[in-house]
Amino acid sequence: MERIAARYLALGVTLTLVIGSLLPLTVAEAQPAAKDVVVTPEAKVQTVPVPSGGDAADDPALWIHPTDPEQSLLLGTNKQGGLHVYNLDGSHQQLVSAGTCPNNVDVLYGFNLGGQQVDLAIATTRASTARGVKVWRIDPKTRMLADVAEGGVLKVFNGGEPYGCCTYRSAKSGRHYFFANAKSGEVEQHRLEDAGQGKVRSSKVRTLRVKSQPEGCVADDELGHLYVGEENVGVWKFGAEPDAGVAGKLIAKVGENGLKADVEGLTIYYATGGKGYLIVSSQGSNTFKVYTREDDNRFVLTIDPKGGKIDDVNDTDGICVTSCPTSKQFPKGLFVVQDGSNAGGNQNFKLYAWEDIAGDRLLIDTKWSPRAK
Ligand code: CA
Ligand code: CA
Ligand code: CA
Ligand code: CA
């Protein structure tokens, strides 16, 4: 009897050990691999269409209001016209610099102009009469943009035609920069400076290169990285400081994890503690690829929006994201993408609530501030 009981006890222990060792495996197998994880949010808001037909809308950028998040603005380029400013319900607020053909746009916080801390928007403009980089000051009281580029436009590529651009505020030095790239593959970094009389000027600090056409780019202000999309190749990572050298690392390749050319817009979701995500527009698959912001930019998942009350998006160029709370519709941040064919007319921009993308898979961190030092 005792012997039988001992035998059953031994069997029980053995079974527990076997089941115990199998359990972690079973759980691991139940989790789909990152390449198979696809989230499918529906747009909550869309902007009024741009006034130009055909391929016109290109790149969005968000500006977070310093005191009233509801008053934050969405900027969007019309590469056949000017820079449009929208409220977060998608309504139109302002058109600036009509006819300058802005291609990519980005925002900078805390620039010292005439002894005042101001926020700036910058864009690469491609019209023959305004070839270079334009700079606007964003007035938090009126929520209007005013042109502050010295001479109307800052020259890049010796007066040649730029393509994509992004801004960089160095956490190390507090200096403000922009990167502009050209279809040749050249990427120029310029430092922005107060030119007096309320104007802003720039001076080139270095040139980087990729082998074929780049466009989308984004800099990580805190971690000091620059990411450049080489449209048919992938995403390159460089040091963003002017003395960081010119060597880049290809951190995402076309053909891997479903990334399909063209590589277009790039944006960073900033969370506290250096965490967050790098998001890339995979134009050829009408999806968005999410990588970790930290470490080796590990691939996390795919965003494939779906149509609902607002139509689906395709052939997306530029994108932008914020982790900051803004309007009542977007209390936990939002993701904005250009739509290549808008069911309601000309091209426009579609806005997604971050929590609809994040679910329980991605961080939702509303504590990070773009104005923190
Ligand atoms: Ca492009
Ligand atoms: Ca879709
Ligand atoms: Ca584009
Ligand atoms: Ca659409």
Side-chain angles (χ1 to χ4, degrees):
M1 188 69 182
E2 267 174 26
R3 198 174 288 170
I4 291 170
R7 202 176 286 170
Y8 275 110
L9 184 66
L11 184 65
V13 169
T14 310
L15 276 177
T16 307
L17 284 174
V18 168
I19 291 166
S21 65
L22 279 177
L23 262 180
L25 257 184
T26 315
V27 170
E29 277 165 7
Q31 296 271 351
K35 68 175 175 55
D36 299 323
V37 179
V38 180
V39 296
T40 58
E42 278 180 34
K44 273 224 160 76
V45 168
Q46 62 182 330
T47 65
V48 295
V50 295
S52 308
D55 191 22
D58 196 275
D59 191 39
L62 284 156
W63 172 75
I64 305 301
H65 192 280
T67 54
D68 184 358
E70 183 99 32
Q71 300 299 309
S72 300
L73 295 168
L74 173 63
L75 318 181
T77 61
N78 173 4
K79 56 194 173 194
Q80 297 182 30
L83 180 69
H84 291 274
V85 183
Y86 305 95
N87 302 300
L88 292 186
D89 63 0
S91 60
H92 198 255
Q93 157 78 0
Q94 187 188 7
L95 164 64
V96 280
S97 306
T100 60
C101 302
N103 190 55
N104 284 180
V105 63
D106 206 354
V107 164
L108 266 175
Y109 295 89
F111 182 80
N112 200 317
L113 188 62
Q116 244 188 309
Q117 297 270 303
V118 302
D119 298 336
L120 303 175
I122 74 137
T124 33
T125 52
R126 300 172 63 206
S128 57
T129 49
R131 191 162 281 162
V133 167
K134 287 195 75 72
V135 186
W136 301 270
R137 176 180 177 160
I138 307 170
D139 185 333
K141 287 202 187 74
T142 61
R143 301 169 70 241
M144 300 294 268
L145 273 59
D147 193 335
V148 291
E150 187 182 50
V153 66
L154 308 179
K155 287 211 181 335
V156 290
F157 305 109
N158 293 314
E161 189 175 319
Y163 197 37
C165 70
C166 60
T167 58
Y168 174 57
R169 182 179 65 163
S170 167
K172 200 170 152 189
S173 67
R175 290 176 181 167
H176 294 74
Y177 301 90
F178 67 78
F179 292 91
N181 60 54
K183 289 186 176 180
S184 65
E186 278 190 301
V187 183
E188 286 188 357
Q189 180 173 13
H190 288 243
R191 182 178 169 191
L192 287 163
E193 289 163 314
D194 187 341
Q197 258 77 80
K199 301 289 183 188
V200 174
R201 67 173 173 230
S202 75
S203 55
K204 184 168 80 178
V205 294
R206 85 177 153 147
T207 303
L208 301 167
R209 271 173 198 84
V210 292
K211 289 205 175 88
S212 64
Q213 185 171 306
E215 184 183 355
C217 58
V218 68
D220 189 320
D221 290 345
E222 289 177 352
L223 303 182
H225 306 306
L226 166 70
Y227 297 95
V228 178
E230 187 178 359
E231 292 187 341
N232 290 313
V233 175
V235 180
W236 291 92
K237 185 181 197 174
F238 297 92
E241 289 295 315
D243 62 359
V246 297
K249 184 183 173 194
L250 192 62
I251 57 108
K253 291 188 186 82
V254 165
E256 277 181 9
N257 298 309
L259 182 62
K260 197 166 173 198
D262 293 356
V263 171
E264 277 281 338
L266 270 59
T267 187
I268 290 174
Y269 178 95
Y270 287 95
T272 50
K275 296 201 183 315
Y277 307 101
L278 168 71
I279 310 178
V280 178
S281 171
S282 173
Q283 192 178 51
S285 58
N286 307 315
T287 60
F288 307 92
K289 299 291 173 179
V290 180
Y291 305 84
T292 59
R293 180 184 165 211
E294 66 271 24
D295 302 330
D296 289 327
N297 307 108
R298 181 176 49 83
F299 176 68
V300 181
L301 57 75
T302 299
I303 304 168
D304 181 359
K306 63 177 178 194
K309 276 192 196 126
I310 295 174
D311 60 296
D312 195 5
V313 289
N314 64 283
D315 300 309
T316 295
D317 284 301
I319 59 177
C320 65
V321 71
T322 183
S323 57
C324 298
T326 57
S327 64
K328 286 181 188 71
Q329 277 162 304
F330 303 110
K332 293 178 178 173
L334 73 153
F335 177 54
V336 185
V337 324
Q338 180 258 3
D339 184 13
S341 26
N342 170 31
N346 292 337
Q347 292 183 340
N348 70 348
F349 300 93
K350 262 83 172 169
L351 288 67
Y352 300 84
W354 180 254
E355 65 271 28
D356 291 348
I357 293 168
D360 55 8
R361 295 182 184 278
L362 301 179
L363 292 170
I364 298 175
D365 182 348
T366 56
K367 298 281 187 289
W368 184 86
S369 164
R371 292 182 178 82
K373 292 280 184 243

